[in-house]
Amino acid sequence: MKANIDMSALAVFIFFFVLVTAMGFFASRWRRAESLDHLDEWGLGGRKFGTWITWFLVGGDFYTAYTVIAVPALVYAIGAYGFFALPYTIIVYPLVFAVMPLLWKAAKERGYVTAGDVVRGTYGSRALELAVASTGVIATMPYIALQLIGMEVAIKALGLTGEMPIILAFLVLALYTYSSGLRAPALIAFVKDIMIYIVVLAAIIVVPSKLGGYSAVFSAADAAFEAKGKGGILLDPTQLVPYVTLALGSALAAFMYPHTLTGIFASSGANTIRKNAVLLPAYTLLLGLLALLGYMGHAAGLQLQSNNDVVPTLFKTLFPGWFAGFAFSAIAIGALVPAAVMSIGAANLFTRNFWKVWVNPDVTPAGEAQVAKITSMLVKVGALVAILLLPTQFALDLQLLGGLWILQTLPALVFGLYTSWFRAPALLAGWAAGFIGGSALVWSDGLKPLHALAFDGVTVSVYTGLLALALNVTVAVAVNLIVPAKETADDDLHVAEAESRS
C-alpha cells in the first residue's frame, strides 16, 4: 500500500478529505428541512437552491475530476483536437437558457423529480418513461466509475497503492450521501471549486515561469507532436468536422444526464437557471486553462505510463509536496461531488420510474426516500466493483456509449416542451432506433466515437451520437406520420396521471 509516499502531501490530502467528510455529514442540518424522508428534500434539496448554490452545484457536477484529468490528458496526447470540450461548454449554455427553465417549470408545477416523470406526464406512456429512465441509469453508471478513476489517479500520485484507499474514500461518500442527500454535494461543491480555481491559477502562473514562458511551452508541445507524427497545437483541416460534431453532440447530451437535471430541478426558480446559464461559462475559462496543462506536460519533459497521469505528475514534479497534496485533494474532492449527485440522480430515476410504477405504486413519500437512499449506495457500490474488477478501458468505452445513449432521450424529453405533435409510440420507436443503431455503429467502429461517411469520394468523420440522434428523429417523424393518432390522443389522461403521482 505504500511506495514513495510524500508525507507532507499525504497530510494535506487527509486534512481536506476529513474536512469535506465533516461537511458532508453536517449538510443534513444545512438549510434544514422538517424531514429528509421525502424525495423532494433528500433528492432535490427542497427545490430551494438559489443562484450561487446552483452555480456551484451544477458546475461541480458538470466539471468533474475526470474532466481535470481527461481533458489535459487528451490535449497531451493529440493536441488541439482535445480542446473540443471548449466549444462544447460554450454551445451548451444557450441551450440551458432556452430549454431548462421550461423543464424546471413543468417539474415544479407537477412535482416531477426525474426525466422519466416529465416524459410520463407529457405522453402518458409507461414504456417511454421506462426507456428514458433506464437509459439514464445505464448511462450514469460508467460516468460514476470514471469519477473513481479520477480519484484513483490522484491517490496513486500520493504514492498510495492498492484498493483500500479508494474503497475507504467511497465508503465515506456513500455514507454521507445516504445521510444528507443532495445537500451534501451542494455544500462540498463550494470547497471543491475554490480549491480547483486555486490549483489552476497556480499552475498557469508557476508552471510556465519554470519552463521558460508560454512561448517555450507551445514550442515544446509542437516539437513533441511533430516528433511522434501525431497531433499538433493547431487543428488539421480533416479534424474540423469531427471537432464540430463532437462539440455539438456533447453539448446536446450534457444536460440530459440525470445528475445535471437533478441540479436544474433543485433550483429555486426559472430565473435562477437563466442567471446560471449566464454565469456558468466562467467554468469554460477554467476548462481552457486546465487543458493547457497537457501542453505543459510536454514542456516539462514528463515520462508517463499513462496520459491520465499528466496533471498529477506535473504537480508532483514542479511543486512542493504540500501544494501537490492540495492539488491531489482538489482532484479527489472533484470526484466526490459529481459522484454523489450522479448516484442521487440515478437513485431518483429508479425510485420514481421503476419502483413506484412497477413494484410498489402505493409507496409513501418516506418509502420513496428510503428506496432512493439505498439505491444510491448500491449504484456507487456497482461503480466501485466495476473499476476494481474490470479493465479501466472498459469504463472509458462504456462512458463513450453513455453519451450516445443519453442523447437518444433528448427528443422525448425536450420536443414535448415546444410541440404536442409527437406521440409516444413514435418517440419510443425513435429512441429504440437511435439506441440500438448507434450502439451497433460504435461497436462496428471498434468502440470509437466517430464514424466515417463518404460523400462523392470525400470521406468525413462524424460523431456517432449525432448520427444516432438523426436516425432517432427520422424514425420518430416517420412513425408519427404512419401510426393513427387515436391511440395517443388522451393527453388529459396523461396530465392527470402525472399529477396524481406528484
Side-chain angles (χ1 to χ4, degrees), residues 6 9 12-13 158 312 315-317 319-329:
D6 184 324
V12 172
F13 183 92
L158 283 168
F315 279 94
K316 203 170 179 177
T317 305
F319 285 85
W322 67 268
F323 192 80
F326 180 82
F328 300 156
S329 58

Side-chain angles (χ1 to χ4, degrees), residues 98-436:
V99 176
M100 291 303 153
L102 300 178
L103 211 51
W104 178 89
K105 187 178 178 186
K108 177 69 175 178
E109 289 177 353
R110 298 176 183 171
Y112 301 151
V113 176
T114 68
D117 288 353
V118 175
V119 168
R120 178 170 176 168
T122 305
Y123 301 103
S125 167
R126 285 184 172 175
L128 189 59
E129 174 191 20
L130 184 61
V132 169
S134 57
T135 303
V137 174
I138 294 170
T140 301
M141 290 286 286
Y143 217 154
I144 298 174
L146 288 189
Q147 303 315 306
L148 301 189
I149 292 173
M151 176 175 278
E152 198 173 37
V153 169
I155 290 175
K156 188 178 73 175
L158 283 168
L160 298 175
T161 57
E163 297 164 350
M164 191 51 66
I166 191 78
I167 292 174
L168 288 175
F170 267 78
L171 182 62
V172 170
L173 164 70
L175 289 175
Y176 71 61
T177 305
Y178 183 95
S179 169
S180 303
L182 194 63
R183 285 173 169 79
L187 189 58
I188 295 171
F190 285 94
V191 176
K192 172 243 181 185
D193 282 2
I194 291 170
M195 292 177 72
I196 290 285
Y197 269 106
I198 291 173
V199 167
V200 172
L201 288 174
I204 62 171
I205 294 171
V206 175
V207 176
S209 71
K210 291 190 174 184
L211 299 175
Y214 275 98
S215 176
V217 168
F218 285 112
S219 296
D222 195 33
F225 291 128
E226 190 173 337
K228 67 179 181 179
K230 180 183 177 184
I233 61 172
L234 296 176
L235 278 180
D236 184 280
T238 61
Q239 293 177 319
L240 288 176
V241 173
Y243 184 91
V244 169
T245 56
L246 268 174
L248 179 60
S250 301
L252 292 174
F255 275 81
M256 298 299 106
Y257 278 104
H259 55 282
T260 43
L261 278 179
T262 296
I264 292 295
F265 287 170
S267 303
S268 61
N271 279 336
T272 297
I273 298 168
R274 293 189 186 96
K275 288 177 184 174
N276 267 278
V278 174
L279 296 171
L280 277 167
Y283 280 98
T284 302
L285 174 64
L286 180 70
L287 189 63
L289 298 175
L290 278 168
L292 288 175
L293 296 180
Y295 288 159
M296 295 177 194
H298 286 296
L302 302 182
Q303 299 298 317
L304 306 174
Q305 292 183 340
S306 163
N307 293 330
N308 285 340
D309 293 333
V310 62
V311 171
T313 307
L314 200 59
F315 279 94
K316 203 170 179 177
T317 305
L318 298 178
F319 285 85
W322 67 268
F323 192 80
F326 180 82
F328 300 156
S329 58
I331 295 170
I333 294 167
L336 294 177
V337 171
V341 185
M342 289 170 191
S343 68
I344 290 170
N348 289 345
L349 279 169
F350 177 83
T351 305
R352 293 283 289 198
N353 308 119
F354 181 78
W355 188 268
K356 181 166 178 139
V357 174
W358 301 96
V359 178
N360 184 6
D362 298 322
V363 63
T364 63
E368 276 190 304
Q370 188 62 28
V371 171
K373 289 178 181 180
I374 294 172
T375 305
S376 77
M377 295 192 77
L378 294 177
V379 166
K380 283 190 278 285
V381 170
L384 181 61
V385 170
I387 70 153
L388 293 181
L389 300 183
L390 299 174
T392 301
Q393 187 58 42
F394 187 73
L396 293 169
D397 293 338
L398 281 179
Q399 164 60 10
L400 162 66
L401 285 169
L404 182 153
W405 291 336
I406 203 68
L407 194 53
Q408 306 317 310
T409 66
L410 185 148
L413 189 59
V414 174
F415 286 4
L417 297 173
Y418 297 96
T419 176
S420 58
W421 186 72
F422 283 98
R423 298 186 297 278
L427 291 168
L428 188 60
W431 168 85
F435 191 97
I436 297 170

Side-chain angles (χ1 to χ4, degrees), residues 24-91:
F25 285 107
F26 170 77
S28 63
R29 301 169 180 270
W30 177 53
R31 303 170 71 89
R32 195 165 194 168
E34 289 185 8
S35 169
L36 287 180
D37 290 333
H38 194 292
L39 212 52
D40 265 16
E41 291 295 341
W42 183 84
L44 293 180
R47 301 179 193 260
K48 297 173 185 172
F49 292 162
T51 301
W52 286 111
I53 297 175
T54 301
W55 189 76
F56 279 105
L57 180 63
V58 174
D61 67 46
F62 195 55
Y63 296 86
T64 66
Y66 198 72
T67 304
V68 176
I69 297 294
V71 172
L74 194 59
V75 171
Y76 177 83
I78 58 176
Y81 191 70
F83 279 87
F84 85 88
L86 284 187
Y88 140 48
T89 56
I90 292 171
I91 295 168

Side-chain angles (χ1 to χ4, degrees), residues 2 4-14 158 160 321-322 325:
K2 296 192 295 181
N4 301 320
I5 295 177
D6 184 324
M7 296 309 295
S8 61
L10 182 61
V12 172
F13 183 92
I14 291 174
L158 283 168
L160 298 175
W322 67 268

